[in-house]
Amino acid sequence: MPTSATNYFDTVFAFDGSSTYTNITLEMQSPAGTSSTILADTNDVLYLGDASRFDMAIFDIDTAGSLGALIWEYYNGSTWVVFTPLSASHYTDPDDSPDTMFDFSKDGAETFPVGRLSDWATVAVNSATKYWVRCTSTTSVSTAPSLRSIRKRPLASYCSTQDVFNLMQLKNVTTTDGSGTDFTASTVPTKATVEQYIESAQSHIDFVTRKSWRPNFIHEEYHQFNLNGFHLDKAGGFKIFDLKIWNGSSWDSKTQGRTNDYFFVPDTNMIQFSRYFLLPARFTSYNAPVWRWGGGEFTMPVKVSYMYGRDIATDAREGGIVFDMARKLAAIDVARDSDFGNLAVSGMDRVQLPQKIDGWTQEVEERLDSLRAFETF
């Protein structure tokens, strides 16, 4: 399994805007623990930091916040730079209220496209040197949100750069004796480049298998209404953020729970309705079939937002296979794009590099075929 990829941030700070940093890392790693209040005043800052780059934060809200405009920033090596996270760039449904940036008013996820942080660099914040993004509510705070937990999605989720380094049995040229266990900013290729190779490998695995072993956010997915429920399009759903039904003029939000409107069954990836709905129809008549009127006559009247993706660390059946494929695909890119000279130590150099690449390629293709199986649920 991956040596360094985890589901939680290394360090999370709540800064009071003046001089005090409160370390809430342990609280944010323990969903059942004590929640923490953040962004209580307009100068307060939430810092999310990790030793490796990441591209998503998933927030579990305890107390819904009511905040003004949010500012997200990253450090580019010399200064903090404002950037636009993905939630502010989503397509806006013309029949709904305009979409806005994630605002801590309910559970949700914020995505940080790595292309918008291309010059992202580490910096020391309260003596902790990490890759950081930070968030501030600069205009107003009506209600400060409190959080149960914050999870991350590492850029390299299926394996780490260290896993690739170890597989290739490389020497580290940044040390005098060649010792070392990972790529760095000074190696060729750099750690950031190998992370890009891993990200490409992850996308290839997801595309071919039509599955995923990392958190993914579906902003809006539309379905026909069915009294028996419906199946989410993406396999491995694990958290429903929002479900709405079109009433003919606007979207009605429904409440999750068996004693409420609907519930989710992860084993079958199904949304089940807890009670019957009499949905509005474009027209009604006494001789209209009950099933047709009871199901409503609006096309695609259900809209759902959710997270999907299996946990590679706990998927005993396929997680290890995915990990091995990811590190070998990344190693193939490293080997093809870099001239190592004498950096390969005894072991790897006993087999010619082209033969090694061919062997890894064949192994990956065979394993991709085995994971491409049809699944009913």
Side-chain angles (χ1 to χ4, degrees):
M1 286 297 160
T3 56
S4 61
T6 63
N7 293 327
Y8 294 98
F9 288 96
D10 290 345
T11 311
V12 181
F13 288 136
F15 180 57
D16 68 356
S18 175
S19 60
T20 302
Y21 289 88
T22 301
N23 192 328
I24 59 173
T25 306
L26 292 180
E27 289 82 354
M28 295 301 95
Q29 294 177 350
S30 305
T34 304
S35 62
S36 297
T37 299
I38 62 167
L39 306 178
D41 296 301
T42 54
N43 292 324
D44 288 4
V45 185
L46 173 67
Y47 283 90
L48 306 176
D50 204 78
S52 298
R53 294 186 297 170
F54 52 90
D55 63 2
M56 181 183 288
I58 306 166
F59 301 96
D60 187 2
I61 305 296
D62 190 14
T63 301
S66 179
L67 305 170
L70 296 178
I71 299 296
W72 288 92
E73 298 173 288
Y74 74 98
Y75 190 76
N76 72 351
S78 59
T79 188
W80 289 93
V81 180
V82 176
F83 73 98
T84 302
L86 191 61
S87 68
S89 307
H90 277 305
Y91 169 77
T92 299
D93 187 329
D95 294 318
D96 202 355
S97 57
D99 290 338
T100 58
M101 190 182 301
F102 173 76
D103 60 3
F104 297 95
S105 62
K106 59 183 179 181
D107 291 353
E110 189 57 277
T111 305
F112 317 116
V114 68
R116 300 180 186 179
L117 287 67
S118 58
D119 53 355
W120 199 5
T122 60
V123 65
V125 174
N126 195 34
S127 301
T129 301
K130 307 287 182 184
Y131 288 98
W132 295 95
V133 295
R134 67 183 188 183
C135 179
T136 310
S137 179
T138 60
T139 57
S140 64
V141 176
S142 298
T143 304
S146 64
L147 307 178
R148 295 188 187 91
S149 69
I150 308 175
R151 286 175 289 168
K152 71 169 184 182
R153 183 175 71 180
L155 197 62
S157 296
Y158 292 178
C159 68
S160 69
T161 57
Q162 184 178 354
D163 295 322
V164 179
F165 188 94
N166 292 338
L167 173 67
M168 301 189 71
Q169 303 177 54
L170 298 178
K171 296 178 182 178
N172 192 322
V173 296
T174 62
T175 59
T176 303
D177 61 358
S179 63
T181 59
D182 199 355
F183 298 94
T184 71
S186 302
T187 56
V188 179
T190 65
K191 184 182 180 74
T193 298
V194 179
E195 283 180 339
Q196 292 175 351
Y197 292 153
I198 294 173
E199 186 181 26
S200 176
Q202 292 168 168
S203 296
H204 181 66
I205 292 170
D206 288 4
F207 175 77
V208 173
T209 64
R210 300 188 299 276
K211 305 173 189 175
S212 185
W213 289 263
R214 53 181 170 164
N216 299 273
F217 177 42
I218 295 296
H219 178 58
E220 290 177 347
E221 182 177 286
Y222 293 83
H223 291 267
Q224 296 287 13
F225 185 83
N226 189 320
L227 292 176
N228 296 316
F230 62 90
H231 190 269
L232 296 177
D233 287 346
K234 301 296 185 181
F238 64 85
K239 186 174 181 66
I240 308 300
F241 286 140
D242 192 31
L243 187 147
K244 298 178 180 179
I245 295 180
W246 180 249
N247 66 17
S249 60
S250 62
W251 293 96
D252 292 334
S253 293
K254 299 302 178 181
T255 304
Q256 187 172 2
R258 285 182 177 269
T259 59
N260 296 311
D261 298 318
Y262 72 93
F263 59 93
F264 176 56
V265 183
D267 288 346
T268 61
N269 214 42
M270 289 282 293
I271 296 286
Q272 304 286 355
F273 291 106
S274 305
R275 61 185 182 84
Y276 289 115
F277 290 101
L278 294 180
L279 299 182
R282 295 192 188 99
F283 57 87
T284 58
S285 64
Y286 288 108
N287 60 359
V290 173
W291 67 268
R292 185 168 178 79
W293 186 83
E297 295 191 25
F298 292 107
T299 301
M300 308 295 278
V302 180
K303 180 169 65 174
V304 61
S305 301
Y306 63 97
M307 298 293 300
Y308 76 93
R310 300 173 183 175
D311 188 338
I312 190 172
T314 59
D315 187 349
R317 185 178 65 172
E318 297 175 342
I321 299 173
V322 174
F323 159 70
D324 189 56
M325 287 193 301
R327 65 175 182 162
K328 285 179 178 174
L329 283 170
I332 290 169
D333 283 339
V334 171
R336 285 174 173 167
D337 295 347
S338 302
D339 182 9
F340 293 106
N342 63 350
L343 298 183
V345 301
S346 179
M348 179 179 174
D349 54 358
R350 293 176 183 173
V351 179
Q352 293 295 315
L353 191 56
Q355 293 177 268
K356 182 69 71 173
I357 293 175
D358 288 343
W360 286 340
T361 301
Q362 184 176 349
E363 289 177 20
V364 168
E365 290 302 323
E366 290 174 352
R367 292 181 176 184
L368 281 173
D369 284 339
S370 70
L371 293 181
R372 200 161 25 198
F374 174 80
E375 293 189 2
T376 304
F377 295 107

